[in-house]
Amino acid sequence: MTVTLADVAARARVSPATVSRVLNGNYPVAASTRERVLRAVDELDYVLNGPASSLAAATSDLVGVLVNDIADPFFGIMAGAAQTEIGGRQGTGRAGGEKLAVVCNTGGSPERELTYLTLLQRQRAAAVVLTGGAVEDPAHIAAMSAKLSKLADAGTRVVLCGRPPLPGSNAIVAALAFDNRGGGRRLTEHLITLGHRRIGYIAGPVERTTTRHRLEGHRAAMAAEGLGEEAGLDRLTVYGPYDRRSGYDAAQELLRRDPGLTAIVAANDTVALGACAALRDQGLRIPHDVSVAGFDDLPFAVDVVPSLTTVRLPLFEAGARAGRLAMGAEAPPPGGIATISAELMSRDSTAPPRAR
């Protein structure tokens, strides 16, 4: 026999409306009453009818977290932290106001990103968290603006984590943007201070905001020291995916273009590991022959040998904050936009250049 909301109300000695408020988490309820209702839910093994509930309410208990690649620690850390806040920290096994976080892996595809947003729209998602850099394509930006506006109009809270605000869109509750330009500039300034002048750069995919902003920071530092015109900087810049293989191939290409390079800046820590492997295969020592720096400060960066100089982004803290914003548990920053600082981490993979 199917257990109904009325059965739970009778067991808990409250009204059906009170049971609904406890389960939906959309109205304050006394702690003792909430505990009595949740105990009745457990005893009767009551399961809320999600689709019917979402039809009656503006949104469902579903929150979508979009990532480019869940296997990449950059995205996995943010998604895990957001999911913890969205799912609730009590760990009681009871559902009373928490949401179900669903991680959607786009594979970096703009089309897949839009598809997931459409599916979440159909499910009346309570919130959507979009992580990582955005694609800088006018058609995709227009499509994203239209899609997010529809979600927001339906009551879905839209939060950006690790990506800049969407131009011309008022659908965003909050945008938590990393200071990629500032981090990129400080990283290259560190190498220049050590004495490096011939610095190669391994960039990410050319169409990504993260790629452009980090590269702009690098070139700003180079320009401030009068190190190379644009043509020369272009020659010492290689683009590719944010993966180890890209770093390996790009480092070999940079050495072919300028065998006298004394330092390489990589788009992220994973790319930096690939660059390190390529240098070792060429018989070069790090940092004695070539210094290498990354970005993000992923967990392995401090444990590799030599430990990796990089830029630390507070990925867990940013993901957790995005989760709270998605739940409405934290007030949005002034103007809806917050820039999250990046910290230089100087380690053993960089040192003053030596003649070789």
Side-chain angles (χ1 to χ4, degrees):
M1 181 178 177
T2 301
V3 177
T4 67
L5 193 76
D7 295 329
V8 175
R11 174 68 67 94
R13 304 187 306 281
V14 297
S15 69
T18 298
V19 175
S20 179
R21 289 167 181 165
V22 169
L23 296 179
N24 291 321
N26 58 5
Y27 193 85
V29 177
S32 59
T33 302
R34 184 177 186 276
E35 174 62 26
R36 201 161 65 247
V37 169
L38 293 176
R39 186 164 57 248
V41 168
D42 286 347
E43 292 171 353
L44 296 174
D45 197 19
Y46 174 71
V47 177
L48 180 66
N49 187 328
S53 178
S54 66
L55 289 173
T59 58
S60 68
D61 287 334
L62 184 69
V63 175
V65 181
L66 273 65
V67 301
N68 283 2
D69 182 4
I70 193 62
D72 185 334
F74 177 86
F75 294 101
I77 292 169
M78 286 192 291
Q83 189 172 36
T84 297
E85 296 293 334
I86 292 164
R89 291 179 170 273
Q90 290 87 351
T92 62
R94 296 168 172 173
E98 299 83 2
K99 304 294 183 183
L100 173 65
V102 176
V103 177
C104 306
N105 199 83
T106 69
S109 165
E111 294 78 15
R112 176 58 58 182
E113 186 173 60
L114 287 167
T115 297
Y116 277 128
L117 290 175
T118 298
L119 293 171
L120 291 166
Q121 179 186 1
R122 291 175 183 171
Q123 295 295 320
R124 299 171 180 259
V128 171
V129 178
L130 295 98
T131 65
V135 173
E136 295 190 305
D137 173 72
H140 182 65
I141 290 172
M144 285 290 289
S145 295
K147 179 60 66 179
L148 294 180
S149 292
K150 289 182 179 178
L151 282 160
D153 289 344
T156 299
R157 298 174 64 85
V158 179
V159 177
L160 307 183
C161 183
R163 72 166 65 187
L166 195 63
S169 176
N170 296 318
I172 312 300
V173 169
L176 307 178
F178 294 130
D179 184 15
N180 287 308
R181 285 190 187 89
R185 180 163 187 157
R186 284 188 287 278
L187 191 61
T188 299
E189 287 173 344
H190 167 69
L191 291 169
I192 292 171
T193 300
L194 289 174
H196 294 278
R197 297 295 182 269
R198 300 168 75 174
I199 304 173
Y201 193 92
I202 305 175
V206 68
E207 73 280 1
R208 291 280 169 178
T209 55
T210 301
T211 298
R212 179 170 62 84
H213 294 165
R214 293 181 181 183
L215 181 56
E216 286 175 352
H218 163 73
R219 292 192 170 183
M222 297 289 283
E225 292 293 322
L227 297 176
E229 298 178 354
E230 185 173 349
L233 293 175
D234 285 343
R235 186 176 70 87
L236 292 181
T237 302
V238 179
Y239 295 87
Y242 286 115
D243 59 31
R244 180 190 177 280
R245 184 71 207 187
S246 173
Y248 188 95
D249 294 342
Q252 290 188 320
E253 175 62 19
L254 286 171
L255 289 173
R256 185 190 67 77
R257 295 180 185 183
D258 186 350
L261 280 179
T262 64
I264 292 177
V265 177
N268 69 7
D269 293 342
T270 303
V271 172
L273 290 191
C276 289
L279 293 172
R280 286 193 294 268
D281 286 351
Q282 293 290 324
L284 298 173
R285 297 167 300 168
I286 305 163
H288 303 85
D289 299 317
V290 181
S291 288
V292 178
F295 210 109
D296 295 335
D297 197 25
L298 297 179
F300 60 74
V302 72
D303 293 322
V304 298
V305 179
S307 57
L308 187 63
T309 292
T310 184
V311 171
R312 172 176 292 171
L313 296 179
L315 300 175
F316 185 89
E317 293 81 357
R321 187 177 181 185
R324 292 192 297 271
L325 287 163
M327 292 289 288
E330 179 176 321
I337 301 171
T339 299
I340 299 176
S341 62
E343 179 184 2
L344 174 67
M345 307 302 295
S346 176
R347 299 192 180 113
D348 297 337
S349 67
T350 54
R354 302 180 185 183
R356 70 173 191 267

